[in-house]
Amino acid sequence: MEIAADDPTDLLEEALAGHGEGFVELRFHRRRSRSIAVEKGRVDQARISEHTGVGVRVLADGTWGFASTDRLALDTVRRAVERARQAARAAAPGKDERVPELPPVELARGRFESDGYAELLARPLEESLQTVIALEARARGASSAITSAACGYNEIFEEKGVVTSDGAKAWSRLVRPEFRIHAVAQKDGEIQTGMESVGVTGSWDCLFRQATPESLTEKAAQQAVDLLRAGYPEGGRKRVILSPSLVGLLTHEAIGHTVEADFVLAGSCAAGKLGTQVASELVTMCDSGQSEYYDGAGGTLYVDDEGVPTGRTVLIENGILRSYLHDRESAARFEVAPTGNARAWEYHDEPLIRMRNTYIVPGAATLEEMIADIEDGYLLDGPANGQADSNGEFMFGTREAYRIQNGKLGPLLRGVNISGTAFDVMRTVDAVGREFKWDLGSGYCGKGQPAKVDAGGPWLSCQVIVGGRSA
Amino acid sequence: MSARAGDGALEGFDARAEEERLLARVAELCENARRDGADEAEAYGERVETIAVHFEKNDLKLGQVDEGTSVGLRVFREGKQGFSSTNQCDAEALRGTARDALTVAGFSVPDPHNRLLEPRPLDAPPCRVDPALAAMSVPEAVQHGREFLRRALARDPRISIDKASFSVHRDTRAVCSSTGARAVESDASAMAVLFGMAVDGEDVGGFDYWGDGVRDPARLDAMLEESIEHFARSVLGNLGARSAETYRGPVLFAPPAFVDVFVDPLISAASAIAVQRDRSALRGKLGKAIAAAAISIADDPRDAELRGATGFDREGQPARRLTIVERGVLEHFLYNGYAARVDGCDSTGHASGGARAVPGLGPHAVVVAPGSDGDRDALVKALGRGLFIQRFSGTVDPASGDFSGVAKSARWVENGEVVRSLKETLISGNAFELLHRVVALSSESPRVMGSVRAPFAIVDGISVTAG
C-alpha cells in the first residue's frame, strides 16, 4: 500500500549525524485515536486525540539514558539526544554491571503498513457514532431485564519511525480498531453484566469478520439476562475445558510473562529450565509479531521499538521450553538473537520486553470429544483480567462456566477466577482442540506501561483451581 | 512557589511561570473554540516534568528525563459535545484541536444537560511546592535511588528486586472555561516503588510491590525506609508457601486487599452516573445502612499526604472533603457537572481524568476511617484461625459486587499467630453483601501506595478455596 510522504526517518537520520559516542536510538511515535462511548442513550465520549513525539535512548558509559521531546525538529531531537546522554552519564556511577555490547542483528529498513489503515482513516467518525448509538439501544431493547447498556468503539492509528546508530531505519503504520458492548440486567435486587469485545490490527471488516456487531450485542445482552438465573460453580481443583480466549489468557499469564527475559533474569520460575520438559507433549506455544493462521491479530507488529524485525518465536515445542522473549540487551546477556519483543507504549516510554500475539498450536481433538472425556469438571469461557506471579502462580477471570458431568454439558453458571502454577498446569494438558482462534485482541497487557497484545489457540483441557463458592 | 533546578538535565522549575504559560495556552484554546463557533468551551492542560531512575535485576538500568504538555478541549454547540486533545501546543496545533472538537460536536447527539458549570470560589491549594524537592537534579535522584536499592537489598540477601524506581515529578494543571472558570496549581513530589520477590535456593516466593510518595523532603528518608520494610516483610514472608484449607468464614484483609475487594466497588457504585444509569447496587439507598456500623468512608482531597490531594477537579470546581458513608449509612453520591445537571443539584467536585478525555467521575483521595480493635497483631489474634490476605489478584464486578480471585502474600493464622505462607488460595463472595459482615477494624488507617487510607479488617462469610 502507498505510504504518505510524512515518513520522519530521514529527519531522524539527519539528527543522528554526528551524534557523538555510543549507541543512539531515535523513535518517532504519533498516536492518533478516535473514540466513541455511549451509555444509556448518552454520548459520553466522542473524541479525537493526537499525541506525537520522539523518544531517545543513548547508551553511554555502559548505562542507558532516556529523554523525549514532543517536537519533531532537528534541533529539538538533537537536544533530546544530549539530555539522554547526560542522564546516562549521571546514572552511570550508580550502575554495577555495564550493559554489554548489543549483538549484531539484521535491523529493519523500509516501510511497513497494516491493512485497513487508510480505509479506517477515511471512514467518517460520524458513521461509527451512529453504529454505536444503534447498537447500545439494541442491547437495551433486547430484554425487559436489561436496565443499562454501554457501547464503545476505539481506533488507534500508530505511526512509528525507528532509526538507530547501527543501521535500523524503519517506518511502520498500524491501525488497531476495538469494539465493546456491555449490558446490565437486574431482577429482584440481583445485578449481572454481560460483555463482548473484539479488537484487531486491520480494517472494519476484519474487526467484525468472526461475528457481526449485532450478534455481539445480542450475545452480551443474553449473557447478562442468563447470568441472573445462574448459580455459582463449586470451588476446588477441577478439570476444565478452556475456550480459545481463555487459552490465550493462559498462555499470556501462566507462561508468557514468566519467559520474558527480564523476568527470567530476576529469578522467575522459568529460569534455568531451557531444554527441559515444562508442559505436556501436546503443548507447542509461540509468540509472534505476525498473525499466523489468519490476518488481524491484535498484537501484530512488523518491527519492534529497537528496529528488530519481528518473527515467530517458539517458546515451548512439544512440551520442551525452547526460548525466552528478548530485547537486544537481554539477548546479549543470554548470547542469543533478539526476538523482536522490545515495545514502548508512547514516545516518552522506554522499550520493555513485551509479548505480541501469543498462542498454542492446534492439536487433533474436537470439542465434543473433549467434553465427552470429562467425568466432573467445567467448560469455561469469556476472559476477564489476569495476572502472573514470579513463582509461576497465575490467575485469570472467566465470565461464564458450564458444569460437565459424565461427559455432558450442564447449565450456565456464573464466571469465576481460576488459578494454578504455570508449568504444573501445562503438564496437566490432556487434549488440545483442532480449531484455532485469535480471541484476545481487545486486551491490553500491563507492565508499568500498557501494550496491545493478542492471544488465542484452540479449546484445551487441563486441571486448575476454580475459585467457586464453598459451602 | 518557585524553584530553580541544580545541575539536572531539565530546565529549572519556576512554578509560577509554568502556571502562567499553561493558563495562557488553555485560554487560547478556549478562545479558538469560541471564535470558531462553540457555544461553550472548556480547556484543560497538564504539564509534567519527570526525573526518574529505573532499576532492574538488582542494578541500575536507566536514567530518564522527560517533560511534556497535553491539552484537551471540550466544546458544546447546540447541546452537542465534542472533544479533542493534543500534545502539540503551537498556535496551528491549537487551532486544529479546536476544529477537531467542533467537527465532533457537529455530528454528535444533543443532550439538554450538556452545559458547563458556573465557576465557584476555590480554596487555597492543599499542597505546597517544596523548592528543594522541585530542584532535585538527576545525580541527586540517582543517589537517592541507588541508596533506596542498596538498603532494600541489604535488608536480606534473599531479596531480589525485579524492578524499582525513584522519581521526582513536577506537575502543573490548569482549567479555563468560557463560563469563567480559571484554576491552576502546581505540585512537586518524590516517589519510590519496589517490585520483586525473595529467592531461597529453589524456593521462589510470590512477588509483591510497594510504593509511596512524599511532597515534604523531610519525610523522604522515612518514606523510603517504610517502603523497604513493608516490601521486605511481605516478600520474605512469601517463601515456603503451602496450601490453605477450604472453608467459609472470617478472613483478615490487609489495607490494600480491603480497598480492592470492598472499598473500590463501593466508591464505583457511589458514582451518581452509575446510579442514574441503573448499574449501581446503591441506587435508592441514600440514608440507609449499606455496611457495618464500623465503616465510615470519605473522599478528602485536602489530605496533603495523599497523591490525589488537589484544590479543584477536572472541571475547575472546588475539591472538598465529602462524607460518602458514615457509620455504615450511605450519606452522599459523587457528582461531576453532567451528573449534577441530570439530578438538578450541585457538583461535589468529582470530575476526574486528564487532558486526553472528556471529564469522568471519580474520587480524589479516599479515606476509610480507622476502627477501634487495635493494631494488625490484635486483628490476627482476633481472627484466631483462618486466612490473612494482604493483596488481592482477581476480579470484582462493580455492578453486582461479585468478586473472585487469588489471595496473594497470604498467610495462614493458627491460635492467633501467623504460622505460614500460602499459595493457590482463592477467595470469592459479594462485596456489597459482605460489607455488612465487617466484624473488626484496626485502630490505624495507614496509607496504601500513597493514594488512599484504609484499616486492616476482618470480614466474615468469605468463601476460601484451597488448591
Side-chain angles (χ1 to χ4, degrees):
Chain A
M1 191 167 286
E2 186 68 21
I3 290 187
D6 50 354
D7 179 345
T9 52
D10 286 342
L11 186 144
L12 296 182
E13 198 168 48
E14 196 179 341
L16 264 185
H19 62 81
E21 289 175 15
F23 172 82
V24 180
E25 170 189 283
L26 305 179
R27 174 171 41 87
F28 167 83
H29 188 180
R30 173 182 290 135
R31 167 177 286 129
R32 184 174 174 86
S33 64
R34 306 195 300 181
S35 303
I36 295 161
V38 175
E39 183 178 22
K40 216 172 180 182
R42 144 87 175 170
V43 180
D44 281 337
Q45 297 275 357
R47 65 182 166 95
I48 298 170
S49 170
E50 187 167 305
H51 293 257
T52 304
V54 179
V56 177
R57 262 200 325 176
V58 171
L59 189 54
D61 299 342
T63 306
W64 289 110
F66 184 91
S68 64
T69 173
D70 53 17
R71 293 188 61 78
L72 178 67
L74 269 183
D75 60 335
T76 54
V77 174
R78 283 178 173 155
R79 203 155 47 235
V81 172
E82 271 322 297
R83 286 167 52 213
R85 196 184 309 280
Q86 285 172 21
R89 288 186 173 145
K95 187 158 180 63
D96 293 331
E97 196 180 342
R98 306 283 119 178
V99 174
E101 193 175 332
L102 299 180
V105 58
E106 192 170 332
L107 292 162
R109 294 186 70 83
R111 297 175 170 191
F112 309 86
E113 180 163 325
S114 74
D115 286 343
Y117 190 98
E119 179 205 311
L120 274 179
L121 202 55
R123 181 185 163 88
L125 191 60
E126 183 175 6
E127 233 173 84
S128 305
L129 176 66
Q130 294 308 324
T131 303
V132 167
I133 289 170
L135 292 168
E136 187 274 332
R138 187 182 184 118
R140 269 184 293 131
S143 162
S144 58
I146 302 285
T147 56
S148 187
C151 186
Y153 173 71
N154 192 32
E155 292 164 344
I156 303 171
F157 298 90
E158 307 263 22
E159 284 180 52
K160 281 190 178 182
V162 180
V163 173
T164 65
S165 56
D166 61 352
K169 187 182 180 188
W171 189 42
S172 56
R173 303 205 305 186
L174 296 163
V175 62
R176 305 193 200 274
E178 305 162 345
F179 171 81
R180 285 183 174 74
I181 180 80
H182 187 264
V184 180
Q186 295 193 37
K187 193 176 180 188
D188 302 331
E190 279 276 341
I191 304 179
Q192 285 296 315
T193 59
M195 195 185 74
E196 289 294 322
S197 64
V198 285
V200 297
T201 305
S203 65
W204 178 270
D205 287 345
C206 178
L207 182 65
F208 296 113
R209 180 170 50 191
Q210 306 263 357
T212 65
E214 291 79 12
S215 66
L216 291 167
T217 300
E218 279 155 21
K219 195 172 168 194
Q222 193 62 49
Q223 185 186 74
V225 173
D226 289 348
L227 286 172
L228 285 173
R229 296 190 293 267
Y232 292 96
E234 277 175 20
R237 198 176 288 274
K238 305 281 183 188
R239 181 149 292 280
V240 297
I241 297 173
L242 302 177
S243 68
S245 61
L246 296 180
V247 169
L249 264 179
L250 180 77
T251 61
H252 183 96
E253 299 296 353
I255 304 295
H257 280 300
T258 61
V259 298
E260 290 167 342
D262 53 341
F263 214 32
V264 174
L265 285 165
S268 90
C269 63
K273 289 198 167 65
L274 280 181
T276 66
Q277 186 89 32
V278 295
S280 152
E281 287 179 2
L282 297 172
V283 175
T284 292
M285 177 181 153
C286 306
D287 178 77
S288 179
Q290 312 300 314
S291 182
E292 272 88 22
Y293 299 99
Y294 56 88
D295 289 343
T300 300
L301 197 69
Y302 304 116
V303 180
D304 83 354
D305 288 332
E306 292 181 326
V308 176
T310 62
R312 185 180 78 136
T313 306
V314 177
L315 299 168
I316 296 173
E317 186 179 26
N318 300 326
I320 310 287
L321 186 63
R322 293 294 185 202
S323 178
Y324 300 134
L325 298 173
H326 291 285
D327 60 11
R328 295 184 73 185
E329 182 184 343
S330 77
R333 293 191 187 281
F334 281 87
E335 300 180 341
V336 296
T339 54
N341 286 84
R343 301 179 67 183
W345 176 243
E346 295 220 350
Y347 71 90
H348 50 72
D349 293 317
E350 54 151 339
L352 303 175
I353 298 174
R354 311 302 296 268
M355 281 171 265
R356 302 155 307 185
N357 301 316
T358 315
Y359 63 96
I360 284 181
V361 172
T366 67
L367 179 58
E368 293 72 24
E369 289 165 353
M370 291 161 77
I371 293 169
D373 278 351
I374 292 181
E375 196 174 316
D376 182 17
Y378 293 100
L379 182 145
L380 303 172
D381 196 6
N385 61 319
Q387 199 175 71
D389 204 333
S390 46
N391 58 2
E393 188 177 59
F394 68 90
M395 78 84 203
F396 56 83
T398 70
R399 303 191 67 80
E400 296 173 73
Y402 296 86
R403 186 75 187 257
I404 303 173
Q405 284 180 302
N406 302 318
K408 304 272 188 234
L409 204 58
L412 174 70
L413 300 167
R414 290 180 186 178
V416 288
N417 275 53
I418 62 173
S419 178
T421 300
F423 295 134
D424 294 348
V425 168
M426 298 308 277
R427 287 191 192 97
T428 70
V429 171
D430 66 356
V432 178
R434 61 173 63 161
E435 303 290 332
F436 181 90
K437 190 177 179 187
W438 293 115
D439 207 9
L440 221 57
S442 61
Y444 289 78
C445 171
K447 188 177 169 183
Q449 310 163 19
K452 202 80 189 76
V453 295
D454 206 339
W459 293 87
L460 177 144
S461 168
C462 63
Q463 203 173 62
V464 296
I465 306 163
V466 174
R469 298 287 169 94
S470 39
Chain B
M1 288 208 306
S2 67
R4 302 296 305 177
D7 52 355
L10 287 175
E11 302 297 315
F13 185 63
D14 182 336
R16 191 174 299 279
E18 290 297 348
E19 288 171 2
E20 284 170 7
R21 263 197 295 272
L22 190 60
L23 208 45
R25 275 181 182 167
V26 292
E28 183 182 346
L29 197 49
C30 266
E31 282 163 23
N32 288 345
R34 289 281 284 153
R35 196 171 45 241
D36 289 351
D39 298 332
E40 292 185 320
E42 169 200 85
Y44 179 85
E46 55 198 7
R47 175 161 178 79
V48 180
E49 296 182 21
T50 306
I51 296 173
V53 193
H54 300 280
F55 300 88
E56 196 172 280
K57 303 177 285 284
N58 303 323
D59 195 6
L60 188 145
K61 186 192 180 195
L62 179 89
Q64 180 168 358
V65 288
D66 271 310
E67 54 185 332
T69 303
S70 294
V71 291
L73 174 70
R74 177 166 64 157
V75 299
F76 294 127
R77 183 150 72 179
E78 296 169 354
K80 297 185 285 188
Q81 176 178 272
F83 184 87
S84 178
S85 76
T86 182
N87 70 337
Q88 304 295 299
C89 291
D90 56 276
E92 178 48 37
L94 295 183
R95 281 194 292 274
T97 301
R99 280 196 300 273
D100 279 349
L102 282 158
T103 300
V104 173
F107 60 72
S108 195
V109 175
D111 183 326
H113 306 298
N114 275 342
R115 283 155 51 213
L116 295 179
L117 297 172
E118 293 300 317
R120 287 190 289 161
L122 302 178
D123 304 324
C127 308
R128 189 184 71 88
V129 174
D130 184 276
L133 199 59
M136 195 180 288
S137 65
V138 176
E140 286 171 311
V142 169
Q143 199 176 338
H144 281 294
R146 179 77 184 152
E147 183 60 13
F148 181 47
L149 183 76
R150 188 194 67 74
R151 278 152 64 177
L153 292 172
R155 175 67 172 67
D156 192 291
R158 294 169 296 176
I159 288 177
S160 177
I161 304 296
D162 178 44
K163 288 186 172 54
S165 66
F166 179 85
S167 54
V168 179
H169 305 263
R170 308 178 320 195
D171 307 331
T172 303
R173 50 194 286 273
V175 188
C176 179
S177 79
S178 58
T179 55
R182 276 176 78 86
V184 64
E185 67 183 9
S186 295
D187 193 10
S189 60
M191 294 180 65
V193 179
L194 284 168
F195 175 95
M197 62 274 204
V199 181
D200 190 3
E202 290 288 300
D203 185 7
V204 179
F207 78 72
D208 209 339
Y209 52 86
W210 193 254
D212 206 345
V214 291
R215 295 185 170 94
D216 176 3
R219 281 266 311 130
L220 181 58
D221 201 53
M223 180 273 278
L224 297 178
E225 197 56 45
E226 286 159 16
S227 295
I228 290 166
E229 193 51 34
H230 186 104
F231 169 78
R233 257 206 327 263
S234 178
V235 297
L236 290 168
N238 287 347
L239 289 168
R242 289 150 53 193
S243 293
E245 292 176 18
T246 296
Y247 72 99
R248 186 169 191 155
V251 168
L252 171 57
F253 289 80
F258 186 59
V259 169
D260 283 350
V261 176
F262 296 101
V263 180
D264 283 350
L266 187 143
I267 297 296
S268 175
S271 147
I273 288 181
V275 175
Q276 290 163 356
R277 297 183 184 176
D278 278 323
R279 55 174 162 82
S280 169
L282 299 183
R283 183 185 169 89
K285 294 194 174 165
L286 268 184
K288 295 180 180 166
I290 57 145
I295 299 286
S296 293
I297 302 175
D299 184 50
D300 190 3
R302 308 297 304 175
D303 186 335
E305 288 191 354
L306 296 181
R307 193 171 307 143
T310 181
F312 58 89
D313 75 354
R314 170 67 175 76
E315 295 176 321
Q317 294 289 303
R320 293 175 181 144
R321 184 182 170 92
L322 178 78
T323 300
I324 300 164
V325 178
E326 181 73 24
R327 295 179 188 183
V329 174
L330 182 62
E331 295 285 338
H332 290 105
F333 293 129
L334 277 55
Y335 283 90
N336 64 5
Y338 179 81
R341 292 252 186 237
V342 170
D343 278 2
C345 61
D346 286 337
S347 165
T348 55
H350 284 98
S352 63
R356 294 193 183 196
V358 172
L361 173 53
H364 303 285
V366 172
V367 175
V368 183
S372 56
D373 298 305
D375 61 10
R376 166 196 177 277
D377 291 346
L379 265 71
V380 169
K381 203 174 179 63
L383 178 68
R385 185 172 194 276
L387 172 66
F388 172 26
I389 166 176
Q390 301 193 75
R391 188 163 62 80
F392 176 72
S393 174
T395 315
V396 188
D397 180 347
S400 68
D402 281 347
F403 66 84
S404 173
V406 179
K408 306 299 292 188
S409 298
R411 309 285 185 261
W412 187 253
V413 174
E414 198 80 54
N415 297 320
E417 303 273 345
V418 169
V419 292
R420 67 171 189 271
S421 175
L422 299 177
K423 64 176 183 179
E424 296 183 336
T425 306
L426 288 98
I427 61 167
S428 66
N430 183 280
F432 299 123
E433 288 169 21
L434 293 169
L435 270 166
H436 291 281
R437 302 187 69 180
V438 175
V439 295
L441 280 183
S442 65
S443 307
E444 70 220 23
S445 202
R447 291 188 303 159
V448 179
M449 300 290 288
S451 57
V452 302
R453 293 183 190 276
F456 291 82
I458 298 177
V459 186
D460 204 355
I462 308 284
S463 286
V464 178
T465 303

